Structure formats: structure tokens, C-alpha cells
Amino acid sequence: MDVLMTMGIMLALIILFLGVGVWVFVGLFLVAITSLTLIADFPLDRVGYIARSVIWRSSSAWELSAIPLFIWMGEIIFRTDISDRLFRGLSPFVQWMPGRLLHTNVLGCTLFAAVSGSTSATTATVGKITTTALAERGYDNSLAVGSLAGAGSLGLLIPPSIVMIIYGVLAEVSIAKLFAAGIMPGLLVAFLYSSYIIVRCTINPELAPRSEEKLTLRRLLSGLKDLIPIITLIFLVLGGIYSGIATPSEAAAVGVAATFVLVICMGSFSWDIVIEAAMGAVKTSCMVCSILISAAFLSTAIGYLHIPVELVKMIESLALSPYALLGILALFYILLGFFLDGISIIVMSLPITLPLILQAGFDPIWYGVFLVLMVELAQMTPPVGFNLFILQGLTGQSIGKVVKAAFPFFLLMCLAVVIVSFFPQVVLFLPNMM
């Protein structure tokens, strides 16, 4: 009961500090300081020493250097015509499928996720092209918006993923193996989304009007030419990581350099783009890293309060099966998704949930993918689902309509969670081969 009371007090503190509108990283720091001083009865000078040590240790991790680089790469692509080329390049390859250009949402997000690492960048970049193009061609608006809301979240799952880097640092597991683990589940989710579009458009062909443009070899070759920039970046970044030539941080640096070269070769380079992309990357990186540092401090405070150890003992006494524990955690994460963003969910919950998962016998690499899938679900749940608000801004629709459009894809993501839970080799097959 003591550990439950302690957790209740800390939860109340989190609700209090975040509820008054302070920044997330400030709120986490305040919760940690208050918990150590009031609950653990630590003197302030000792709390200060702990804070200094944690801040230095968590902010100087070399793995974190990949985060601003991947974000910068996505920002550059977002501001150039590489995203336009992505839509034009995919269009000829999906004309023969039921649903036609609706699949550009799924395939476009899948490819862009492989160079971005961010769900918001993926949704915004692909969405700014496809929402207008599909509306002009008479495609069903609900299916177009819903598929984009679901597929945009693939930016978290398909490597290089910023969230996976954060999980790898916190859980102290191989980021390269995490990246490999995300590939097959990401393709599984994309397959489920495209299959749903095919079924819907087969039942009701009016959802995707027929195109009068004829599919020719010339059009296919032209589309392939437009896809070369994205394919090149994927090959350089992921190829460098999986071949063992480069670490994720080194591959991110290569990706940024290659993006600059491509932009210059395509004639899209300007110093305004460089400055805007750099500023966007700095803002996002500072937000991510500040939350990560404050969460590390909170995790340390939770450790000093013995919450993980006592919670593991309490869960063991309940004699829950591993999958019963997993089901409880899944509901817990869906609930958190109503109120918190994905990064906050991971950094706040991991110190408590990871010991439970390890005790239950689950692989930490597998759990990283499971956790990312749960965070992806949070991107599609109001009132804090980032993808929903991005699409609301792009389409001008009410948030209620966007949520309704995204709901079938939310259920498909839940199905993906069930599949990887009962068939863990979907996740572990590629990492085990490394």
C-alpha cells in the first residue's frame, strides 16, 4: 500500500504541475524535486547534487546527437520539392490498385518515415501534398484523412525513429537493433492500412474515382526517377547502420550531408531554407532533449523511492500471466495517450514498466516496438493526438470529423499490436540476424 500511496502522490503532483500550464520538462523537474524532499526526506543540497549528476549524464550521451540531425534532415526535406517528387513518383505505381491515389498516403508516409524519424514531420510533409491533390480529384475525404492520420504515425516506428533512440538510451539497448526491429512491424501496419483501403474501395468504387491517365512504361520510369532522392537517402542512412559501417549518429550526419547534396543538385537550395530548417530542428531538438533530461531526473527520483522494486514485488504477488500484464499495460498506455504526447509517455512510464516487462520474461527490444506502437495509438487519440491537430490544420475540418475518419485506422493499429504480441518473431526476426 505504501508504494501505491507514493505513486498516487506523484501522479497527483504531475497532474497539478502540468495542469497549471507549466512546460512539461519543468513539471517533471518539480515533481522529482518535491518527491525527493517531501516523500524521501532528502535535504535540498543532496537533491541538487543528484540533479547535477543526472543532468550531465543524460545530456552527454553520444546517442542523443542523432536526434537533432535526423530532425534537421526532415526539416530540409519538408521545405524543398523532394516531398512533391514523392507524390508524383508514387502515383503511377498505385493506379492499378483499388483505391489508387489513396495508397500514396500510406506508401508516401512509409518512405518518408524512413528518412524523417518524426510522426509530425511525416504527417505534415505528406499531408500538405496529398490532402489537396486527393480533394481536387474527388477522392473520399474521410478515407483520405483517416489513412493519413494512421500512416503518418509510421514516423515513430519505421527507422530512423527519434522515439526509438530515446527508448534505446533509457533502456540501454542497441539502437541499431531497435531500428531493425521496427521494419517488419512498420511494413505490417502499412499492409493493414492498404488492405483496408482496397477492401473499402472494392465494395464502393466511388470512394476512389477512376483516372483517365493511362499507365505506360514511360510514366513508371518517370515516377521511379522522382523517387530516386528518397530512395538514395534511405539507402545511405539505413544501409550505413545495418551494414555496421556507421552508428546511428554517424548515419544521421551522412543523411544530412546527402540531403544538402540532393537539394543543391535539384536546384532547390537557398540559405533561407537552410536557416529555417536549422531553426526548426533546434526548437524541436531542445524540446525533446529537455523532456528527456527531466525525465531522467524523475526516473532517478522514482528509483530512490524504491517504486520499481516494490511494484515488481506487488505485481508478482498477483500471479498475473505475462499477457494479462501486457493487456493491462496496453490499456494504461491508451489512457495516457488521451493526455500526453508520445515522448512524455515513454520517459515518464519506462522506469516503472520496464522492470515489470523484464520480470515477465519479455525481450526489451520487442518491448521497445510494442511501446512505440502504443505511442502511435496515442497520436490518433484526442485531445492530445498531434496527428489529428496537424490534419485539422491542413484540411480545415473539425477535430470531431478528423477523429471519426481516423478511428478505423486506430483499430487496425490495435490489430497490429495483437499480432506482434502473439507472434513476437515479427519484431525479433531481423534483430536476431544482426
Side-chain angles (χ1 to χ4, degrees), residues 348-383:
M348 291 172 61
S349 66
L350 196 61
I352 296 175
T353 60
L354 186 59
L356 298 176
I357 285 295
L358 296 178
Q359 184 71 23
F362 290 103
D363 189 288
I365 296 289
W366 176 88
Y367 182 62
V369 173
F370 171 84
L371 189 52
V372 170
L373 284 168
M374 299 311 302
V375 168
E376 286 187 337
L377 287 172
Q379 302 297 309
M380 293 185 278
T381 55

Side-chain angles (χ1 to χ4, degrees), residues 337 380 413 425:
M380 293 185 278
M413 184 72 76
Q425 283 305 311

Side-chain angles (χ1 to χ4, degrees), residues 21 52-53 59 160 224 241 314:
R52 290 195 304 271
S53 302
S59 61
L224 190 60
I241 294 172
M314 189 174 68

Side-chain angles (χ1 to χ4, degrees), residues 1-168:
M1 294 304 297
D2 289 340
V3 68
L4 292 178
M5 183 177 296
T6 302
M7 290 178 62
I9 293 172
M10 295 188 73
L11 180 60
L13 289 172
I14 290 172
I15 295 173
L16 172 64
F17 289 128
L18 297 184
V20 297
V22 300
W23 289 328
V24 173
F25 84 93
V26 174
L28 297 182
F29 257 105
L30 291 174
V31 171
I33 293 171
T34 305
S35 299
L36 288 174
T37 53
L38 296 184
I39 301 176
D41 199 25
F42 283 10
L44 282 177
D45 58 340
R46 186 179 178 188
V47 173
Y49 174 78
I50 294 171
R52 290 195 304 271
S53 302
V54 171
I55 290 172
W56 173 252
R57 184 178 69 249
S58 56
S59 61
S60 60
W62 167 246
E63 294 84 357
L64 294 180
S65 60
I67 293 177
L69 292 171
F70 280 129
I71 294 174
W72 195 13
M73 187 166 64
E75 291 282 345
I76 295 169
I77 295 172
F78 175 72
R79 288 170 169 80
T80 60
D81 69 340
I82 295 179
S83 53
D84 297 276
R85 288 171 179 260
L86 180 61
F87 178 77
R88 294 199 306 267
L90 289 173
S91 297
F93 292 93
V94 298
Q95 289 290 357
W96 60 274
M97 302 170 64
R100 280 169 285 282
L101 293 181
L102 286 170
H103 294 283
T104 58
N105 277 345
V106 179
L107 297 178
C109 287
T110 302
L111 287 175
F112 189 82
V115 296
S116 164
S118 166
T119 179
S120 56
T122 301
T123 305
T125 302
V126 177
K128 74 174 183 176
I129 305 298
T130 60
T131 50
T132 303
L134 294 176
E136 290 175 349
R137 290 166 172 79
Y139 283 77
D140 181 73
N141 184 69
S142 178
L143 198 53
V145 172
S147 61
L148 189 58
S153 63
L154 290 173
L156 297 179
L157 184 59
I158 293 179
S161 165
I162 293 169
V163 169
M164 282 187 174
I165 295 173
I166 292 172
Y167 174 84

Side-chain angles (χ1 to χ4, degrees), residues 339-355:
F339 308 103
L340 297 172
D341 64 278
I343 294 174
S344 298
I345 289 173
I346 289 179
V347 297
M348 291 172 61
S349 66
L350 196 61
I352 296 175
T353 60
L354 186 59

Side-chain angles (χ1 to χ4, degrees), residues 30-334:
L30 291 174
V31 171
I33 293 171
T34 305
S35 299
L36 288 174
T37 53
L38 296 184
I39 301 176
D41 199 25
F42 283 10
L44 282 177
D45 58 340
R46 186 179 178 188
V47 173
Y49 174 78
I50 294 171
R52 290 195 304 271
S53 302
V54 171
I55 290 172
W56 173 252
R57 184 178 69 249
S58 56
S59 61
S60 60
W62 167 246
E63 294 84 357
L64 294 180
S65 60
I67 293 177
L69 292 171
F70 280 129
I71 294 174
W72 195 13
M73 187 166 64
E75 291 282 345
I76 295 169
I77 295 172
F78 175 72
R79 288 170 169 80
T80 60
D81 69 340
I82 295 179
S83 53
D84 297 276
R85 288 171 179 260
L86 180 61
F87 178 77
R88 294 199 306 267
L90 289 173
S91 297
F93 292 93
V94 298
Q95 289 290 357
W96 60 274
M97 302 170 64
R100 280 169 285 282
L101 293 181
L102 286 170
H103 294 283
T104 58
N105 277 345
V106 179
L107 297 178
C109 287
T110 302
L111 287 175
F112 189 82
V115 296
S116 164
S118 166
T119 179
S120 56
T122 301
T123 305
T125 302
V126 177
K128 74 174 183 176
I129 305 298
T130 60
T131 50
T132 303
L134 294 176
E136 290 175 349
R137 290 166 172 79
Y139 283 77
D140 181 73
N141 184 69
S142 178
L143 198 53
V145 172
S147 61
L148 189 58
S153 63
L154 290 173
L156 297 179
L157 184 59
I158 293 179
S161 165
I162 293 169
V163 169
M164 282 187 174
I165 295 173
I166 292 172
Y167 174 84
V169 171
L170 294 176
E172 298 181 351
V173 297
S174 167
I175 293 174
K177 287 191 174 184
L178 277 172
F179 281 0
I183 293 176
M184 289 184 68
L187 296 178
L188 170 66
V189 173
F191 173 77
L192 292 175
Y193 287 168
S194 282
S195 299
Y196 175 75
I197 292 172
I198 289 173
V199 171
R200 285 286 308 274
C201 292
T202 301
I203 296 173
N204 184 6
E206 294 182 0
L207 296 176
R210 286 190 173 276
S211 173
E212 296 182 1
E213 298 180 14
K214 293 183 179 180
L215 184 61
T216 63
L217 180 60
R218 185 175 181 179
R219 283 202 66 210
L220 289 174
L221 292 176
S222 176
L224 190 60
K225 180 182 176 182
D226 284 326
L227 291 176
I228 286 177
I230 287 287
I231 294 174
T232 301
L233 291 176
I234 293 173
F235 176 78
L236 288 173
V237 174
L238 298 187
I241 294 172
Y242 298 141
S243 65
I245 296 174
T247 65
S249 299
E250 293 166 346
V254 171
V256 172
T259 304
F260 274 116
V261 172
L262 286 173
V263 169
I264 292 171
C265 292
M266 293 186 302
S268 301
F269 179 84
S270 75
W271 285 110
D272 288 339
I273 289 177
V274 174
I275 294 172
E276 289 176 8
M279 289 303 298
V282 167
K283 291 177 181 178
T284 305
S285 302
C286 288
M287 180 270 291
V288 171
C289 292
S290 62
I291 292 176
L292 189 59
I293 292 168
S294 60
F297 184 33
L298 180 61
S299 300
T300 303
I302 290 173
Y304 276 113
L305 294 170
H306 307 292
I307 289 177
V309 175
E310 295 300 324
L311 197 58
V312 167
K313 291 180 181 177
M314 189 174 68
I315 296 295
E316 284 180 340
S317 67
L318 297 176
L320 292 173
S321 70
Y323 284 103
L325 172 63
L326 208 60
I328 292 173
L329 289 180
L331 293 175
F332 169 68
Y333 280 121
I334 290 175

